[in-house]
Amino acid sequence: MNPATATKKPHGQIRQSQVITTFGPGALVDLRNHAGIVGGLEFWQGADRQIFEERLVAKIQVTLNASGLRLYAPPVDSGDLTAPLTGIAVWMFPEWFVAQYEIEGPGKVRSRPLIHRETLVKNKFLGPDRKKYPVVPIRFVQACLNGHISDLDWYGFVHDYKEDCRRQLFVDERGTGGDLSDITIRCECGKSRPLIVAARSPQAALGFCKGRRPWLGNNSREQCGGGGPGVQINRLLIRSASNAYFPQVLSVISIPDANAKLRKAVDEVWEDFLQYAESMDDVKKERKKAKVNASLEGWSDATVFAEIERRRGGGPEQTKTIKYAEIETLLSSPDEIGEDILDGDFFARVLPKPNGDPKILDKVERIVLVHRLREVVAQVGFTRFEAAMNEVDGELNLDVRRAPLAREISWLPAVENRGEGIFIAFKRDAIKSWMNRPAVQRRGMQLLQGFQAWLQGHPGSKSTFPGLPY
């Protein structure tokens, strides 16, 4: 594979948050002259702004069974052509193209050559008339539920994997809507096969997955499903379809704690200075630097070194779920939570219950106005065909067969979102009374039956019905 051609000026821009939610490693993208697949984290250059959020890192490390993970913001273009190259690599994918050279096929259908990248001449198709014609990437690839993806073996598909013919292939289209039932792949030898069979009977038409992972570099592959009974059947995938890529993300709100100020002070000088401190004497030496001394003002060397040792030990033990810790803060806190400062991560104020309709307000326990909040979102993997939903308590779903973002995970892409909101807590008795209504119970049975039907299609899942209030 070749990297997509780079240009001095981009043809468009995306926000860093879009990298996390739409254009992460393994995502399929359409460029100006090519289609591509976003490269793995090993091929990202310039991701040097670290994002600190210990609670999120601790959760991810437990889920991925990894240690020493860090969060970094996706790289940005500096705009300086003399500076070191920064950005995200995109590999050419797929490597099969349809030439914009039309002929009349059998039955007077529209027919165009289907050609591999290696046969192109300066990225164009050399026609029988010796003229060069533009090409467009084929719309169809094959993938599996484990996230693997590859080009179809078009020669094998046309000949039902029974011949070794390598004559010219064509895409014959009978309609103008691009429907699969109107598309046939034909060989110059006379063999042909309708594309719809790949959707109706993928096992016979596309075979078992070979574990290819083109976003992780040339010839990267693994045993699909470990090579055992978990090996998946290839499925036909339209590159631009909405089920081609589902990022799995985990997010937390930066809630205040007793040591928040200390941790933020250490964060500011951790990367360049304190991560190398091995003793209190080292901390004392680092304080001689103006930036370190200003950041650590008010904190003793012993306190700072205790925080350094705590970080190296992996942080505090995580026993509460993500959502429980956040809800507990909003429910049990005093009238004000956090600090109302310009760069503050969290500030909320409990609102006195307003006067109004008692039928509504008598069911409300507490209203909290969150004036400032910081949410950190990190991508941990992705899936294809089926979205990977997190558990209702905010934890990652352990049943998900997520595809990796890199060969070796040492860091993950993350973004910070700043905002505000309103938190409303309902009284337990009001929820209990609502659940006793006959209409609510009937609806609850419908939802439970739907969940049980979902379980039948996902054998081995450990998910449980979250309960009617959800």
Side-chain angles (χ1 to χ4, degrees), residues 98-114 125 127-129 133 168-174 186-188:
V98 180
Q100 302 305 286
Y101 173 80
E102 292 187 21
I103 62 174
E104 187 177 284
K108 297 185 178 181
V109 300
R110 177 194 186 199
S111 185
R112 293 178 294 168
L114 175 62
F125 168 69
D129 55 4
Y133 296 88
Q168 179 63 57
L169 298 178
F170 296 89
V171 178
D172 295 344
E173 297 175 90
R174 289 175 173 77
R186 175 174 57 87
C187 180
E188 197 173 36

Side-chain angles (χ1 to χ4, degrees), residues 1-2 88 141 172 175 192 219 263 272 314 336 349 362 373 381 447-448 469:
M1 293 180 296
N2 294 328
I88 298 172
V141 294
D172 295 344
S192 65
N219 297 323
R263 293 177 184 177
D272 296 325
E336 288 190 358
R349 182 182 290 117
D362 284 352
L373 67 83
L447 295 173
L448 177 59

Side-chain angles (χ1 to χ4, degrees), residues 141-145 148-153 161 198-199 201-212 224 231-237 385:
V141 294
Q142 61 185 15
C144 83
L145 285 172
H148 304 131
I149 193 168
S150 64
D151 276 296
L152 274 75
D153 178 359
Y161 307 97
S201 182
Q203 182 171 354
L206 302 178
F208 288 97
C209 175
K210 295 182 180 179
R212 290 193 173 96
C224 183
V231 175
Q232 296 292 309
I233 297 171
N234 281 316
R235 300 185 181 189
L236 187 68
L237 179 65
F385 296 108

Side-chain angles (χ1 to χ4, degrees), residues 266 269-287 292 296 301 304-305 307-309 312:
V266 173
V269 290
W270 174 260
E271 187 74 12
D272 296 325
F273 305 102
L274 295 186
Q275 65 170 316
Y276 307 109
E278 299 292 340
S279 64
M280 279 192 288
D281 288 339
D282 289 341
V283 174
K284 188 175 297 184
K285 291 178 182 177
E286 294 295 342
R287 277 187 186 271
V292 178
L296 301 183
D301 294 339
V304 172
F305 187 64
E307 167 63 13
I308 293 173
E309 288 190 312
R312 289 179 179 151

Side-chain angles (χ1 to χ4, degrees), residues 96-406:
W96 282 86
F97 295 82
V98 180
Q100 302 305 286
Y101 173 80
E102 292 187 21
I103 62 174
E104 187 177 284
K108 297 185 178 181
V109 300
R110 177 194 186 199
S111 185
R112 293 178 294 168
L114 175 62
I115 52 179
H116 190 267
R117 172 182 60 82
E118 293 177 348
T119 64
L120 298 178
V121 179
K122 294 184 178 179
N123 295 321
K124 292 190 176 183
F125 168 69
L126 185 62
D129 55 4
R130 310 307 295 173
K131 293 182 179 179
K132 295 176 182 177
Y133 296 88
V135 297
V136 295
I138 185 74
R139 291 193 296 135
F140 309 102
V141 294
Q142 61 185 15
C144 83
L145 285 172
N146 288 330
H148 304 131
I149 193 168
S150 64
D151 276 296
L152 274 75
D153 178 359
W154 291 108
Y155 288 116
F157 174 78
V158 172
H159 300 94
D160 201 15
Y161 307 97
K162 297 177 181 178
E163 300 177 30
D164 196 27
C165 178
R166 289 295 184 269
R167 298 179 68 177
Q168 179 63 57
L169 298 178
F170 296 89
V171 178
D172 295 344
E173 297 175 90
R174 289 175 173 77
T176 57
D179 190 90
L180 293 181
S181 59
D182 295 331
I183 300 174
T184 297
I185 307 300
R186 175 174 57 87
C187 180
E188 197 173 36
C189 72
K191 295 289 181 67
S192 65
R193 202 173 190 189
L195 193 58
I196 191 66
V197 302
R200 291 176 177 171
S201 182
Q203 182 171 354
L206 302 178
F208 288 97
C209 175
K210 295 182 180 179
R212 290 193 173 96
R213 306 183 297 179
W215 68 95
L216 297 183
N218 194 22
N219 297 323
S220 178
R221 58 184 295 177
E222 64 179 359
Q223 286 290 324
C224 183
V231 175
Q232 296 292 309
I233 297 171
N234 281 316
R235 300 185 181 189
L236 187 68
L237 179 65
I238 300 175
R239 290 188 298 104
S240 58
S242 60
N243 65 346
Y245 189 78
F246 295 104
Q248 188 180 27
V249 300
L250 189 64
S251 65
V252 302
I253 294 174
S254 299
I255 56 178
D257 59 48
N259 296 316
K261 290 184 177 180
L262 171 62
R263 293 177 184 177
K264 187 171 183 179
V266 173
D267 284 347
E268 292 176 353
V269 290
W270 174 260
E271 187 74 12
D272 296 325
F273 305 102
L274 295 186
Q275 65 170 316
Y276 307 109
E278 299 292 340
S279 64
M280 279 192 288
D281 288 339
D282 289 341
V283 174
K284 188 175 297 184
K285 291 178 182 177
E286 294 295 342
R287 277 187 186 271
K288 294 179 181 180
K289 300 169 183 175
K291 182 177 180 180
V292 178
N293 187 56
S295 179
L296 301 183
E297 185 178 1
W299 304 102
S300 69
D301 294 339
T303 300
V304 172
F305 187 64
E307 167 63 13
I308 293 173
E309 288 190 312
R310 186 196 64 78
R311 291 186 179 215
R312 289 179 179 151
E317 182 182 357
Q318 298 291 318
T319 57
K320 298 177 183 178
T321 65
I322 288 175
K323 294 304 176 188
Y324 183 86
E326 295 169 358
I327 291 175
E328 184 182 55
T329 298
L330 292 166
L331 287 177
S332 61
S333 56
D335 292 342
E336 288 190 358
I337 316 165
E339 292 183 290
D340 188 14
I341 57 178
L342 183 60
D343 295 326
D345 290 339
F346 192 91
F347 177 68
R349 182 182 290 117
V350 177
L351 181 70
K353 190 180 296 185
N355 296 322
D357 189 348
K359 292 181 180 180
I360 298 176
L361 294 178
D362 284 352
K363 299 177 176 61
V364 175
E365 180 74 30
R366 171 181 264 212
I367 301 175
V368 181
L369 300 183
V370 183
H371 298 279
R372 301 179 187 276
L373 67 83
R374 170 184 180 256
E375 178 193 40
V376 178
V377 185
Q379 185 181 4
V380 299
F382 68 89
T383 60
R384 304 196 196 278
F385 296 108
E386 294 184 5
M389 302 300 294
N390 292 346
E391 302 287 357
V392 293
D393 56 6
E395 305 294 288
L396 286 171
N397 189 335
L398 299 181
D399 294 335
V400 172
R401 295 171 289 186
R402 67 181 65 84
L405 305 181

